[in-house]
Amino acid sequence: MPLIVVTSSPRVAPGLLSHQAWQALRSGRVLAGSASHPQLPYLAEAGIEVTVVEPDAARLAREAVEQTVVWLAEDDEDFMRAVGHAAIALDEPPLIEVVPGSYDLPGARVLDLVAVMDRLRTECPWDRKQTHESLVPYLLEEAYEVLETIEQGDHGALREELGDLLLQVVFHARVAEGFDVDDVAAGIVEKLVRRHPHVFGSVRADSADQVNDNWEAIKAAERAARNEEPSVLDGVPLGQPALSLAAQLLRRAGRGGAPDALAAGIGQGLGRELFDLVRRAQEAGVDPEAELRAAARAYRDRVLAWESQPPSPS
């Protein structure tokens, strides 16, 4: 006789089970190890009797030798491992079959993050007192740490740093009043679909340049619908580091046909010299932010090497 283990995901609404799972649940005696299993009310509604028992691996394996037993699994991996060992120890071990009742779709673990954030916001004094403004330094720090792992090619660390950055997004959505993380996700999904008609519509785009042209045209139409005066500088965040800000402003203005003379003699003193350097980098097709970061990393390496040298004799 078989022991059928029906699994289900806590990230899927209870009661939404596969056809194969419902068939299995009607094929033999159904047991569960907890009276609080989330599936129990829905199985009772479907007329399936579930007996709640104290989890006993050896007894469960023995019962499955004599009759078909369906075990309603929960988060009990250690217990199921013990059941497997107990079954192997029998002279005639039962066949153990795992039937997925529900399973996670891609992105399902984000639901866990939302649940954890809800609890932190409610129960942790530090998380409870945070505001959008107080979280800004952490958002910037995590974004820069993501950038650092990419520059270093450390993809193992990138996974962790992206998680830290994702936390900041979920944190801000939880702090917000008037919208939540679902509204945030819905907004970006709607925008992506709207701005990719070559993927989700009938527009054709055979190159990245065509995609960019479509993107700009769609953004211009969105601004017109909001009665906003269009500008080539729309969407340039002024809060970014000054070097990348200057580079992006120059790039956008040049793309919009602004005369080169507008970039001459900007600012005073050192500011003027720095802006001119950025302009020259743009003309040479060089990213000034990346160049300066590379120079800064080289300087860091020199300082670290200097620190590691033994002190010279006095």
Side-chain angles (χ1 to χ4, degrees), residues 227-252:
N227 295 320
E228 295 178 358
E229 289 294 329
S231 170
V232 295
L233 303 182
D234 286 335
V236 176
L238 297 180
Q240 63 182 304
L243 194 64
S244 58
L245 171 62
Q248 189 174 10
L249 288 171
L250 286 165
R251 185 168 57 253
R252 287 287 196 91

Side-chain angles (χ1 to χ4, degrees), residues 8-266:
S8 57
S9 168
R11 301 166 198 91
V12 176
L16 299 179
L17 299 173
S18 66
H19 176 67
Q20 185 182 12
W22 284 112
Q23 287 184 313
L25 289 165
R26 292 186 171 95
S27 66
R29 185 184 181 211
V30 182
L31 304 178
S34 170
S36 61
H37 195 294
Q39 300 290 351
L40 294 187
Y42 301 92
L43 299 188
E45 186 178 346
I48 296 175
E49 181 180 350
V50 180
T51 303
V52 177
V53 299
E54 185 70 24
D56 185 324
R59 186 177 66 183
L60 183 61
R62 289 195 302 270
E63 287 190 20
V65 173
E66 302 173 356
Q67 61 179 322
T68 298
V69 176
V70 182
W71 179 258
L72 197 58
E74 209 166 357
D75 187 16
D76 49 8
E77 183 177 341
D78 291 339
F79 174 69
M80 294 315 305
R81 188 177 294 110
V83 171
H85 290 313
I88 293 175
L90 297 174
D91 294 334
E92 297 183 6
L95 173 66
I96 300 178
E97 178 184 0
V98 178
V99 175
S102 59
Y103 52 89
D104 291 341
L105 295 174
R109 297 308 296 264
V110 176
L111 297 175
D112 291 346
L113 177 57
V114 172
V116 168
M117 189 67 253
D118 282 343
R119 185 167 180 181
L120 291 175
R121 185 66 173 170
T122 303
E123 301 179 20
C124 174
W126 187 90
D127 290 276
R128 191 165 52 238
K129 76 174 187 177
Q130 299 309 309
T131 64
H132 293 302
E133 292 74 18
S134 69
L135 290 172
V136 166
Y138 305 103
L139 177 62
L140 295 175
E141 178 183 344
E142 300 302 349
Y144 282 126
E145 289 184 357
V146 168
L147 174 59
E148 183 177 3
T149 60
I150 292 174
E151 289 179 340
Q152 294 174 344
D154 189 349
H155 292 172
L158 178 60
R159 172 186 173 184
E160 179 179 352
E161 298 302 340
L162 285 173
D164 292 340
L165 185 58
L166 178 60
L167 169 61
Q168 295 304 310
V169 175
V170 175
F171 206 153
H172 277 278
R174 182 61 178 81
V175 169
E177 297 180 3
F179 66 87
D180 59 19
V181 69
D182 287 319
D183 297 315
V184 172
I188 189 59
V189 166
E190 180 183 348
K191 180 184 292 186
L192 289 173
V193 171
R194 185 174 65 249
R195 293 187 180 179
H196 289 78
H198 55 287
V199 176
F200 301 100
S202 58
V203 174
R204 181 168 180 174
D206 297 322
S207 69
D209 288 339
Q210 288 179 319
V211 172
N212 287 331
D213 291 342
N214 289 340
W215 185 280
E216 294 301 330
I218 293 169
K219 289 200 296 183
E222 292 170 355
R223 289 191 295 269
R226 295 192 296 264
N227 295 320
E228 295 178 358
E229 289 294 329
S231 170
V232 295
L233 303 182
D234 286 335
V236 176
L238 297 180
Q240 63 182 304
L243 194 64
S244 58
L245 171 62
Q248 189 174 10
L249 288 171
L250 286 165
R251 185 168 57 253
R252 287 287 196 91
R255 188 188 304 162
D260 294 340
L262 294 179
I266 294 294

